[in-house]
Amino acid sequence: MVLLKKFLLQYFSAQFIKFLFAGCIGAFSNWSLRIFFFNLVGISSSVSFLIAYSISLCISFLLYKNLVFPYSDVSIKTQGQRFLLINFSFLPIVFVMFNLLTPLFERLNFGEYSQPIAHIFVLGLPALITFLLYKYFAFKKDSESLI
């Protein structure tokens, strides 16, 4: 019971609020960059998605490193490697879900909004899991432990 309480309290903290804030900024940059590359530059939807994902990773890393997890005991190089490992692990899931949800929203008559709406959905999918992975792996403090 104590372990469950400690686990759940991770999501009721100032750090988690900062995580959500930083994540929203990263997600908005991802979303808006995809629209920019697709609509204004004319790059295909899938390639626009991947370019936006890559750029927003840099933005998100800086936000998480400086705002959410500033006291990590891990070197910045290791933090970056772990951060990329986590995010590239989720990329196939997010990418596939985007490509599955877009046609679904098109069939539901969302028209030109199908891709932006699908993108919003898939950006939020990994949030709860990545918070713990970032906290206890990518930006770990030696004094912190989930158990």
Side-chain angles (χ1 to χ4, degrees):
M1 186 66 144
V2 172
L3 183 60
L4 178 62
K5 181 179 177 182
K6 185 176 180 180
F7 173 76
L8 292 175
L9 286 176
Q10 299 296 311
Y11 296 105
F12 295 95
S13 65
Q15 186 178 41
F16 186 67
I17 299 300
K18 290 177 186 178
F19 172 81
L20 290 176
F21 176 74
C24 286
I25 292 172
F28 179 75
S29 68
N30 186 320
W31 185 77
S32 58
L33 285 166
R34 188 198 61 78
I35 290 172
F36 170 78
F37 288 118
F38 179 67
N39 291 342
L40 298 176
V41 179
I43 298 173
S44 76
S45 177
S46 295
V47 173
S48 295
F49 183 92
L50 295 172
I51 293 170
Y53 190 87
S54 299
I55 294 170
S56 68
L57 276 181
C58 297
I59 294 167
S60 296
F61 176 78
L62 293 172
L63 288 169
Y64 291 134
K65 163 86 180 103
N66 295 304
L67 179 66
V68 185
F69 307 105
Y71 305 111
S72 177
D73 299 320
V74 178
S75 73
I76 192 163
K77 178 182 176 185
T78 301
Q79 289 175 28
Q81 290 169 338
R82 290 176 177 180
F83 181 81
L84 289 175
L85 175 67
I86 291 165
N87 281 281
F88 287 140
S89 296
F90 278 94
L91 178 59
I93 296 165
V94 170
F95 186 72
V96 167
M97 289 304 298
F98 174 74
N99 286 304
L100 290 174
L101 287 175
T102 297
L104 173 68
F105 289 131
E106 288 170 351
R107 277 180 284 187
L108 294 172
N109 294 320
F110 283 90
E112 66 187 67
Y113 302 107
S114 297
Q115 287 184 355
I117 293 170
H119 199 172
I120 290 169
F121 272 92
V122 300
L123 290 175
L125 287 175
L128 295 176
I129 298 166
T130 57
F131 174 70
L132 294 176
L133 289 171
Y134 293 159
K135 182 171 181 158
Y136 295 107
F137 181 65
F139 301 100
K140 184 176 180 349
K141 278 178 60 176
D142 288 337
S143 60
E144 289 184 321
S145 161
L146 185 57
I147 299 175

